[in-house]
Amino acid sequence: MKKQINLADIRTFVVLAEQGSFTKAAEKLMCSRSHISKQLAQLEARLGVSLLIRTTRTQHLTPQGEVFFERCERSLKGINHAVESVLEDADVLSGSIKINCVGGQLGEEVIAKLVNDFMLEYPDIDIELDFSSRRVDLIAGEFDFVFRMGALPDSSLMARKLTDIKIGIYASPTYLAKHGELKEPKDLLQHKCIAGSMRHWHFLQNKSDKKYDLLVNANLTCKNGRVMIMSASLGNGIIRVPEFYCRQAIKEGKLVALFDDWAIESTPLYLVYVQDKHCAMRLRVFKEFVMANFCEYM
């Protein structure tokens, strides 16, 4: 009969396998590399098998280690879900939710307001809100939710569409008075443009299937929506931005929309998360709050 296995050793082994190195695992577990090495040796001795092969440059799981890791990882997730379920049987929802979203006006004026209103309703739930634009790994557990614009690749992730973001072309009356009116998209080739992340602009004629694509000449390139709107409002060029970015500038007469007969395809916005039938109650509540209220913030 095998000796009794220490659950703490199993947890350390799973973290070590997930992180891929003793150094990263030690940082994750906030302990020394030697302590992790001791736990691994202890676990292997009690199992009577080698779980991990380590050289001076790399480490990799043995065949027995891969099987053991897969089953232990699944079991530990079940234990964590069980603990969360028990804790959330209490009257007060608590815990933390990690959220990622692009910054700028979408993150700072829409998502931030939504999150703060959610916190007012559920004051014991902590929120970690990240505005980095990098592609994050939900599967690895880095975040619970991601607000993501644009088409989504096929994956094991779940996505709920929140809205279609209308995109438009805008210029200031001052710019048009100085440089002349534009009748159709091809006229942009003779004008100054202010570009963000996209310099290829695509148009579709409203009353037909006619399309027009062009590469604009950008006298200013900046991925910050506020800077683009300020520059366009001052008369420095023509911008292509989401309509809700410049509602105030349009209301104040600083910008006007161009090309009534042409449109730009809207960009979908999704709430993305990992599919999990044992979803923690706080995550389920946040998802339901977003789906029920998001349109009010746009």
Side-chain angles (χ1 to χ4, degrees):
M1 179 181 289
K2 301 294 183 184
K3 296 180 180 178
Q4 185 175 0
I5 306 299
N6 190 324
L7 182 59
D9 293 344
I10 294 177
R11 289 184 183 275
T12 296
F13 165 71
V14 169
V15 172
L16 178 58
E18 289 174 338
Q19 297 299 312
S21 77
F22 279 75
T23 299
K24 292 181 180 178
E27 292 175 355
K28 181 81 173 179
L29 296 170
M30 294 185 289
C31 65
S32 66
R33 293 172 57 186
S34 60
H35 181 70
I36 292 176
S37 182
K38 179 181 178 182
Q39 285 186 289
L40 176 62
Q42 187 171 269
L43 180 60
E44 290 179 324
R46 288 175 173 170
L47 291 172
V49 298
S50 293
L51 299 173
L52 184 141
I53 297 175
R54 178 168 49 154
T55 67
T56 54
R57 293 184 178 180
T58 62
Q59 70 174 49
H60 64 272
L61 297 174
T62 65
Q64 297 96 327
E66 290 179 356
V67 173
F68 189 66
F69 166 68
E70 181 181 343
R71 294 180 178 177
C72 288
E73 183 185 39
R74 187 164 55 244
S75 298
L76 287 175
K77 284 183 178 179
I79 292 173
N80 291 336
H81 287 314
V83 171
E84 289 179 348
S85 296
V86 170
L87 292 176
E88 291 180 345
D89 279 341
D91 292 336
V92 179
L93 283 170
S94 61
S96 63
I97 300 175
K98 295 176 288 185
I99 303 166
N100 171 265
C101 178
V102 294
Q105 284 163 281
L106 176 62
E108 296 165 19
E109 295 185 11
V110 177
I111 306 303
K113 290 179 181 177
L114 182 148
V115 165
N116 275 281
D117 286 347
F118 174 80
M119 293 175 67
L120 290 174
E121 191 164 335
Y122 300 97
D124 293 300
I125 295 179
D126 301 324
I127 301 292
E128 180 181 322
L129 186 56
D130 176 81
F131 282 151
S132 61
S133 57
R134 61 191 174 87
R135 290 284 174 172
V136 301
D137 189 352
L138 284 167
I139 300 296
E142 187 177 5
F143 292 96
D144 299 303
F145 295 98
V146 172
F147 290 88
R148 186 166 291 172
M149 294 175 63
L152 298 173
D154 293 334
S155 70
S156 60
L157 300 175
M158 296 293 292
R160 299 289 296 275
K161 188 175 181 179
L162 299 174
T163 189
D164 284 309
I165 297 177
K166 182 180 178 182
I167 310 295
I169 305 294
Y170 304 93
S172 72
T174 302
Y175 176 89
L176 296 175
K178 182 176 181 180
H179 297 280
E181 298 287 337
L182 293 82
K183 295 182 179 179
E184 51 187 336
K186 69 179 182 180
D187 295 340
L188 287 166
L189 295 172
Q190 310 303 320
H191 286 263
K192 295 180 179 181
C193 294
I194 300 165
S197 58
M198 292 186 62
R199 291 185 61 184
H200 285 90
W201 294 3
H202 310 282
F203 295 87
L204 180 66
Q205 195 169 38
N206 292 330
K207 298 179 181 179
S208 71
D209 293 330
K210 185 178 178 180
K211 297 180 180 180
Y212 187 79
D213 300 336
L214 76 157
L215 176 65
V216 299
N217 300 311
N219 62 310
L220 172 64
T221 301
C222 179
K223 294 182 180 180
N224 184 285
R226 288 190 176 89
V227 173
M228 294 173 67
I229 291 168
M230 176 187 69
S231 185
S233 298
L234 292 172
N236 285 321
I238 299 169
I239 55 172
R240 173 195 182 278
V241 294
E243 178 268 339
F244 78 89
Y245 278 22
C246 48
R247 285 175 186 164
Q248 187 63 33
I250 293 172
K251 183 178 180 181
E252 295 173 356
K254 295 178 180 179
L255 293 175
V256 294
L258 306 181
F259 309 133
D260 292 338
D261 296 331
W262 294 80
I264 297 174
E265 185 177 3
S266 297
T267 299
L269 175 66
Y270 296 93
L271 177 67
V272 185
Y273 52 94
V274 177
Q275 185 175 12
D276 189 348
K277 64 180 180 180
H278 300 295
C279 177
M281 182 62 69
R282 65 181 181 278
L283 303 182
R284 190 177 303 118
V285 166
F286 179 78
K287 178 177 64 179
E288 292 171 354
F289 183 89
V290 172
M291 298 307 301
N293 299 288
F294 182 81
C295 289
E296 296 179 12
Y297 297 85
M298 291 292 291

